[in-house]
């Protein structure tokens, strides 16, 4: 029987703010050109509209490539749609967890979560919205495991 998933999430859309800003700027530019009645060749409309859709579509497509799940015993990182790579870090093996944020990331409330296992393996989870809430959840799971393990005499 599969474990209950406590939290499932993807990279935050905030991590792609530049792509979205570019795409919507281009769409806005097309709207202004249309409203003002500026004559633009059809190929120009298609080119600028295509760039806008490519910008927004690439952000969404890339975002869909990454999926993260947290259960009571592990965190799973999945990358890919057809060919998938899955990496696991088990709660008992987590030695350290922290969050790194740039100024813009802090302002937009997203960042990179760094997990380190007792064996020294490091795992980065970039572009995560509300990273301190997720870090708190993982820290609570580690504490529950340690408490349960100590109560059993081990």
């Amino acid at each position: 029987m599969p474990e209950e998933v406590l939290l499932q999430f993807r990279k935050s859309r905030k991590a792609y703010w530049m792509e979205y800003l570019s795409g919507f700027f281009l769409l806005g530019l097309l709207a202004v050109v249309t409203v003002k009645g500026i004559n633009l060749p059809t190929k120009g409309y298609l080119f600028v509209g295509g760039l806008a859709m490519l910008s927004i579509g690439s952000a969404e497509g890339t975002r869909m490539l990454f999926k993260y799940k947290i259960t009571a015993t592990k965190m799973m990182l999945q990358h890919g749609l057809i060919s998938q790579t899955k990496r696991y870090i088990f709660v008992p093996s987590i030695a350290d967890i922290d969050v790194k944020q740039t100024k813009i990331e802090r302002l937009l409330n997203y960042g990179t979560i760094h997990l380190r296992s007792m064996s020294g393996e490091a795992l980065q989870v970039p572009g995560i919205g509300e990273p301190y809430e997720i870090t708190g959840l993982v820290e609570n799971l580690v504490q529950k495991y340690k408490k349960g393990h100590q109560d059993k005499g081990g």
Side-chain angles (χ1 to χ4, degrees):
M1 185 169 174
E3 268 189 282
E4 176 188 356
V5 175
L6 302 175
L7 184 64
Q8 181 172 314
F9 53 99
R10 295 186 183 276
K11 279 186 163 185
S12 173
R13 283 188 172 91
K14 296 173 193 174
Y16 298 100
W17 68 271
M18 188 63 82
E19 288 87 345
Y20 289 113
L21 182 66
S22 300
F24 288 117
F25 173 77
L26 290 172
L27 290 175
L29 192 62
L30 281 179
V32 167
V33 165
T34 303
V35 168
K36 294 245 182 202
I38 299 172
N39 236 352
L40 196 63
T42 303
K43 287 183 181 180
Y45 279 105
L46 292 175
F47 180 74
V48 174
L51 278 179
M53 291 297 113
L54 181 65
S55 180
I56 295 167
S58 69
E60 281 300 306
T62 303
R63 197 174 159 270
M64 291 298 125
L65 290 176
F66 296 91
K67 186 191 300 184
Y68 308 105
K69 292 180 184 179
I70 298 175
T71 70
T73 60
K74 65 186 172 235
M75 183 168 182
M76 188 263 297
L77 293 84
Q78 181 178 322
H79 176 258
L81 290 175
I82 297 169
S83 173
Q84 294 184 344
T85 302
K86 291 182 182 179
R87 292 188 65 194
Y88 297 92
I89 188 161
F90 292 91
V91 169
S93 72
I94 296 174
D96 188 30
I97 183 169
D98 59 49
V99 174
K100 301 268 194 245
Q101 292 177 303
T102 64
K103 291 175 185 172
I104 290 176
E105 289 173 343
R106 194 172 21 259
L107 180 68
L108 296 175
N109 193 21
Y110 75 97
T112 300
I113 297 174
H114 294 265
L115 298 161
R116 276 174 283 296
S117 69
M118 290 181 195
S119 66
E121 181 185 3
L123 198 59
Q124 290 187 32
V125 187
I128 302 303
E130 301 175 359
Y132 289 103
E133 286 184 28
I134 293 171
T135 300
L137 172 66
V138 173
E139 286 174 342
N140 287 340
L141 291 173
V142 170
Q143 292 305 317
K144 279 183 187 176
Y145 175 81
K146 287 180 180 177
K147 185 177 181 330
H149 194 66
Q150 288 171 347
D151 291 347
K152 292 179 183 176

